[in-house]
Amino acid sequence: MPNGRHAVIAVPFFWLFLFFVLPFAIVLKISFTEADVAIPPYTEIYTWAENQLSIVLNLGNYLMLTEDQLYLAAYLGSLKMAFFSTLICLLVGYPMAYAIARADKDVQTVLLLLIMMPTWTAILIRVYAWMGILSNNGLLNGVLQGLGLIDAPLQILNTDIAVYIGVVYSYLPFMVLPLFANLVKHDLSLLEAASDLGSSHINNFWKITVPLSKNGIIAGCMLVFIPVVGEFVIPELLGGPETLMIGKVLWQEFFNNRDWPVASALAVVMLVILLIPIILFNRNQAKELEGKV
């Protein structure tokens, strides 16, 4: 029996090692090398000569990240974009998840299907569709001009607003689904008891529903915030030259400049930044589990 238990536990650990630890170790190694005109375009960190192993770690890539304002601006731009996108997704997604959770069982299936259906289409196709909608001659400007709300087309495409629209549209389902999974399990008798004691519906919502849905809120925010920090497709297609995010800089370093060591250092620092909310979330979950025991 213990052998079977160990085998079951070993499967996710092997999966994690194969698709996270090993790729991260390779990227970490490249981040300590120097750029070189070769294939692959970087030097090795170790050499073996005359029965001696020499290891040389180049810290210049990480020092460059602190000296060049471009990289700092890219990190701050990504965190800003991820924070406000997550906040908008929460403000829009919470009422949607709440309405779905309180709907009839038959209607819930249809509403959840409507939420998930856009994710069945490739994100590249959906972003291209938004390019047509938000362009000067696109559907949105056409409708606004047809209604007489504007005289000239609005410049939405190639701005931060377009990026926010694309990000919120693409990642909203990742906020709604965890919130729904949490809200649908709430005991409605708590709200009835509070109402019998004279509490208003608004007070019930803020004092009972929102605190009980804390785990759903945290899970949804993490599912949106973490991938948005490294997002590349949406800022590249909908954003303009002033839209500076770390995913875009990573692409340029890897494929345009072919400076793999600097790009790897960028990726390592980004991953370290993303580990902070993950660690905080795990600590929060551990404390809650200890409280239930």
Side-chain angles (χ1 to χ4, degrees):
M1 187 66 181
N3 292 333
R5 187 183 300 116
H6 293 160
V8 172
I9 296 175
V11 172
F13 276 97
F14 174 74
W15 187 270
L16 183 64
F17 173 80
L18 187 63
F19 293 102
F20 177 76
V21 177
L22 185 59
F24 175 74
I26 295 173
V27 173
L28 182 62
K29 186 202 79 168
I30 297 175
S31 70
F32 289 111
T33 64
E34 295 182 6
D36 191 16
V37 183
I39 298 177
Y42 56 85
T43 60
E44 291 293 342
I45 63 173
Y46 57 86
T47 57
W48 177 265
E50 298 179 356
N51 297 326
Q52 292 183 346
L53 178 64
S54 300
I55 299 177
V56 179
L57 300 180
N58 176 31
L59 301 178
N61 299 319
Y62 291 96
L63 294 176
M64 183 183 296
L65 301 186
T66 61
E67 296 171 356
D68 196 329
Q69 294 298 318
L70 172 69
Y71 302 119
L72 179 60
Y75 281 119
L76 294 178
S78 296
L79 292 174
K80 173 187 172 184
M81 183 68 66
F83 174 79
F84 285 108
S85 298
T86 303
L87 181 61
I88 297 171
C89 283
L90 178 61
L91 295 177
V92 175
Y94 197 101
M96 294 174 63
Y98 185 86
I100 297 173
R102 297 295 178 264
D104 296 334
K105 295 294 182 181
D106 296 336
V107 180
Q108 282 181 1
T109 305
V110 177
L111 295 177
L112 287 174
L113 186 63
L114 293 175
I115 294 294
M116 293 186 295
M117 279 182 64
T119 63
W120 297 351
T121 305
I123 186 172
L124 190 61
I125 297 176
R126 288 183 282 148
V127 174
Y128 268 116
W130 275 107
M131 291 177 65
I133 295 172
L134 300 177
S135 64
N136 291 343
N137 299 323
L139 178 63
L140 180 60
N141 277 310
V143 171
L144 293 177
Q145 285 182 303
L147 295 174
L149 298 177
I150 58 174
D151 297 326
L154 297 176
Q155 180 60 45
I156 303 175
L157 189 62
N158 299 327
T159 64
D160 286 349
I161 295 177
V163 178
Y164 279 114
I165 292 173
V167 169
V168 171
Y169 164 78
S170 299
Y171 288 95
L172 186 61
F174 298 99
M175 178 67 74
V176 173
L177 295 179
L179 286 171
F180 166 78
N182 180 280
L183 290 168
V184 77
K185 294 185 295 185
H186 287 189
D187 187 358
L188 299 181
S189 62
L190 296 174
L191 299 177
E192 295 175 359
S195 298
D196 292 339
L197 294 174
S199 178
S200 63
H201 292 296
I202 296 178
N203 191 57
N204 290 346
F205 176 77
W206 287 110
K207 295 296 182 63
I208 298 175
T209 303
V210 172
L212 289 177
S213 60
K214 182 181 69 172
N215 287 340
I217 293 173
I218 295 175
C221 288
M222 290 188 64
L223 287 174
V224 175
F225 182 87
I226 292 175
V228 171
V229 170
E231 180 61 51
F232 164 73
V233 174
I234 298 174
E236 178 69 17
L237 297 180
L238 298 182
E242 297 181 357
T243 305
L244 191 60
M245 294 183 65
I246 198 63
K248 192 173 181 180
V249 176
L250 269 172
W251 173 274
Q252 292 173 347
E253 293 292 348
F254 264 117
F255 298 100
N256 294 347
N257 301 337
R258 288 188 60 79
D259 195 338
W260 288 22
V262 171
S264 299
L266 282 168
V268 170
V269 173
M270 182 180 69
L271 184 59
V272 171
I273 292 174
L274 294 180
L275 283 176
I276 296 174
I278 295 175
I279 293 173
L280 294 176
F281 175 72
N282 288 335
R283 286 185 177 179
N284 179 71
Q285 292 293 95
K287 288 181 180 179
E288 291 195 353
L289 290 175
E290 291 176 1
K292 292 180 181 179
V293 175

